[in-house]
Amino acid sequence: MDVYASSYRGRLVDPGVLKVIPLVAEIIDVIDVGESAWAKAVRIQVRHTDDEEESYFMKVSYGHHGREALKGEFEATSAIHSITPDFCPKPIAWGSLLEESNAHFYLCKFYVFTEGVPEPVSFCEKLARLHSSHTSPQGKFGFHCVTYNGDMPQDNTWADSWEAFFDNGLRHVLKVREGRAGPDAELDALLLVLFDKVIPRLLRPLESGGRKVEPSLVHGDLWCGNASIIDEDTSEGIVYDPASFWAHNEYELGNWRPARNNFGDVYFETYHKHIRKSEPKEDYDDRIALYALRFNLHAATLFPNQTRYLEMAIDEIKRLAEKYNDGYTGVE
């Protein structure tokens, strides 16, 4: 049969997608499995020429940002898969649909998920294994393409130091947030002390006094909505929808700090059985708070009408600003 003319629920399968699925004999079904404000997802079930059936997950987005977001998801998932192939779906392809204008797709293996977050022992071991592969190009912080947190593009410009990369990336987030929601006088009044005092005080000690941060590949948006159980008996899990770049490994844990993300203390404790807290350890809690601050600003950017995310970010900046008003006073 002509698979390019195969239809599901009255719609034709786009030939741009079928070209990247190997040896398709028949399209069995395509089922809608989800939709967000910036993408929709379907499950494609096929029969191959060897008579084996297989299911694929396809995400579709539109426009320039949709195209770049799916490209970034493919590149980030490919990077994670190259280090920890048991920790994420196998990415297959990304590209543009041929029969729908300005529409783009990302394709990977399909999994059936069980409700809940993965059990911490195996999950944190895999995450630590991902973070322990210090293979960033030239040992720099950043990524070779833009990756998206939701529909928010991140600035992944390469930097030699973690402080410089974090500073630049956070300024970009603030710029995007202001473009979508408008200026906020209370937030703006706090930014000088945040960038001139708080960030140098908490991040510069990581890279001074003989200390060095080895870049780790992070998922970049690791909350409970981007991790699921794939084995009901063992609660074994995988991660998906990455917003990756090469970073300080503890940056990943900033997204676990807000209680809404369902990774409690046991996940922190289990993770640090594999990777110790960075020195100086006495700054650890506030470093994680600083990283969590960026994730709250992500949420404020993605959902500008929900004021609680911005309010949490402002409250955290105020606390850190009061505590670290003297800034960095160490020897360079």
Side-chain angles (χ1 to χ4, degrees), residues 37 48 74 87 98-99 105 112-113 126-127 148-149 162 177 204-205 208 226 242 261 280 294 304 327:
H48 292 289
F74 175 81
F87 198 41
L98 299 181
E99 295 183 345
F105 71 91
V112 176
F113 293 146
K126 292 176 184 177
L127 182 62
Y148 279 65
N149 188 297
W162 169 238
R177 190 216 67 83
R204 199 166 299 173
S208 58
N226 287 339
N261 290 340
R294 172 165 163 168

Side-chain angles (χ1 to χ4, degrees), residues 250 276-287:
E250 290 176 358
R276 294 180 297 177
K277 297 176 181 178
S278 297
E279 296 288 352
K281 291 181 181 178
E282 58 268 25
D283 291 345
Y284 172 83
D285 288 339
D286 286 333
R287 279 199 307 268

Side-chain angles (χ1 to χ4, degrees), residues 221-232:
D221 189 20
L222 192 49
W223 66 294
C224 60
N226 287 339
S228 291
I229 297 170
I230 58 171
D231 189 320
E232 188 173 5

Side-chain angles (χ1 to χ4, degrees), residues 166-195:
F166 184 84
D167 182 292
N168 182 65
L170 185 57
R171 290 181 190 272
H172 175 77
V173 172
L174 289 164
K175 181 179 178 180
V176 176
R177 190 216 67 83
E178 183 171 326
R180 296 183 180 184
D184 183 275
E186 187 175 16
L187 174 64
D188 292 345
L190 294 167
L191 295 184
L192 183 63
V193 68
L194 173 64
F195 286 100

